[in-house]
Amino acid sequence: MSKIPVTIYAEMTPNPNTMKFVANNYLIDPSATAEFKSQQETKGFSPLADELFTFPFVKGVYFANNFVSITKDDTLAWDY
């Protein structure tokens, strides 16, 4: 089985505290979405979201087909 490299790029959203990270393959079922507003909600559902919530500034994680959007608090800017 050949391995295909995963590429990810970031996109701004209308919300300055939310950044969209787009991958070149599906992260979840294309017809599904998942939203987590706390680390407790991720338990048993999403190891990636669980890890993202270990960063103290992460306030929300949203998955859809080939992207994840991360919402942060105001303690830092995306460009740091």
Side-chain angles (χ1 to χ4, degrees):
M1 177 182 289
S2 66
K3 294 184 179 185
I4 299 172
V6 175
T7 59
I8 298 174
Y9 66 90
E11 289 183 357
M12 297 296 294
T13 69
N15 179 345
N17 285 333
T18 301
M19 185 75 71
K20 181 178 177 181
F21 297 89
V22 183
N24 65 332
N25 59 354
Y26 291 121
L27 302 175
I28 63 173
D29 183 291
S31 63
T33 62
E35 183 173 20
F36 304 99
K37 296 187 179 193
S38 71
Q39 191 169 26
Q40 294 76 19
E41 292 179 0
T42 69
K43 301 300 181 193
F45 294 103
S46 176
L48 175 56
D50 185 50
E51 276 299 311
L52 290 169
F53 275 106
T54 64
F55 294 99
F57 53 84
V58 172
K59 298 300 173 201
V61 178
Y62 176 82
F63 290 97
N65 54 44
N66 69 329
F67 71 89
V68 57
S69 292
I70 302 170
T71 302
K72 64 169 190 65
D73 63 19
D74 292 327
T75 61
L76 74 145
W78 283 113
D79 57 354
Y80 289 118

